Amino acid sequence: METRALTARTSTESTRDIPEATVARLPVYLRALTTLCEAGTITCSSEELASAAGVNSAKLRKDLSYLGSYGTRGVGYDVDYLRYQIAREIGVTQDWPVVIVGIGNLGHALANYSGFRSRGFRVVALLDADPNRHEEVVAGVDVRPFDDLEQIVKEHGVAIGVIATPALAAQDVANRMVASGISSILNFAPAVLSVPEGVDVRKVDLSIELQILAYHEQRKTHGATA
Amino acid sequence: METRALTARTSTESTRDIPEATVARLPVYLRALTTLCEAGTITCSSEELASAAGVNSAKLRKDLSYLGSYGTRGVGYDVDYLRYQIAREIGVTQDWPVVIVGIGNLGHALANYSGFRSRGFRVVALLDADPNRHEEVVAGVDVRPFDDLEQIVKEHGVAIGVIATPALAAQDVANRMVASGISSILNFAPAVLSVPEGVDVRKVDLSIELQILAYHEQRKTHGATA
DNA sequence: TAGATTGTTAATCGATTAACAATC
DNA sequence: TAGATTGTTAATCGATTAACAATC
């Protein structure tokens, strides 16, 4: 932690890069802190927070050390303060507008999911290619034609899009999203998307998770049966 | 690959242990192979399959090497044969009965998700604690009282349970599942579950995925703004 | 000062990748 | 035999963990 006072990159200050594995756990810590906060906890140790987040305390402290020194030795962490610091680091102190494309069963569920709203995301539009759905209002938001995508993205400055279409439509939707200026995509369609460099895609695949469980389950049950 | 002919563990044969990272990718390869198969492809190289699965070919070959030698040097892989071998390794050559607990928006979507059925899983029961839902039929399956869990698990030999309840109910549901004999849980509730050793839990958290995207998005957009 | 707990170090472990010998 | 592509090796990289010095 020596002072590199006069070197180049000093202006960007807080932008050390945080390992991906740590980034993926920050939201988990954030949620645990919110829970602690709601329970009225003012201060907690790394041991307590780690237990609430389901990780071991060494990992938690190592993770937090990438953000800075927000604890007090001998005491622990101020729950509300640490919560704010993590939220700021993740970037959810302000709201992110998102669009959801594909308003089938899953799209409905996503549109109605209150966890988005409460965690820094605001669904500004629901889009579907099927004109029969354009009458619907889901979770207080009109379902609009897919062709409105570009206009909506511009209007609200949308950077994040959610794809909840069938697999076959997913690549086209992704292309249109990217063309409209979206640079982060959460993909629920069971398809591998190809996108230009600089665009992030995360994939959530329900059946893949079940298959991973099945693999381990098989080994438990039939382990002895050879 | 020397012959350890007379050593102990030889009887369990195919049970070398496969790294977790590889296990998590096997379902991805399986899906890519199914797609290739449907497109009429008979044979493919590691390069082609890797590209269809969205990984690099070195990783793919390394992953497949844990299962055995199912390719032919100079030629590639027989799509249908490799598909079967991977399905067998994962354990989805036969059906796994699953129960879904919590039939809200997400539970509905899950119950209707055709990807489960087609990939080795069969939803044998939908359970909800709310008596008002017990009239409903979702995706051709009756919604039944949560208290029927134990009986259903016994009757169908259910090993895998899906939790789609609110966060507050999740730990109770998990406890009851474990008590009934379920040993693998897919948890959609935004809560950390504690379960006895030997029980596997996987967690899918929609808002966490969005937060990870937001973190990277923030760095892209506001990178220069210091 | 004594007790507690952080933040960091260093060792270990696991995953990725490029390169290539084996072999069809 | 020549060309192609697998399966494996070994080097590298990143993540986890235990231990403890720093410090409240």
Side-chain angles (χ1 to χ4, degrees), chain B residues 17 35 54 69 72 90 105 124 137 140 147 166 201-202 205:
Chain B
D17 48 320
T35 305
S69 277
T72 308
I90 298 175
N105 279 302
V124 296
V137 176
D147 284 330
V201 176
R202 291 190 69 87
D205 191 314

Side-chain angles (χ1 to χ4, degrees), chain A residues 11 59 75 95 101 104 106 108 141 154 165 171 189 194 202:
Chain A
S11 52
K59 191 188 277 179
V75 178
D95 263 18
V101 177
L106 183 60
H108 261 92
V141 179
K154 296 277 179 308
T165 65
Q171 183 64 61
S194 93
R202 290 191 69 86

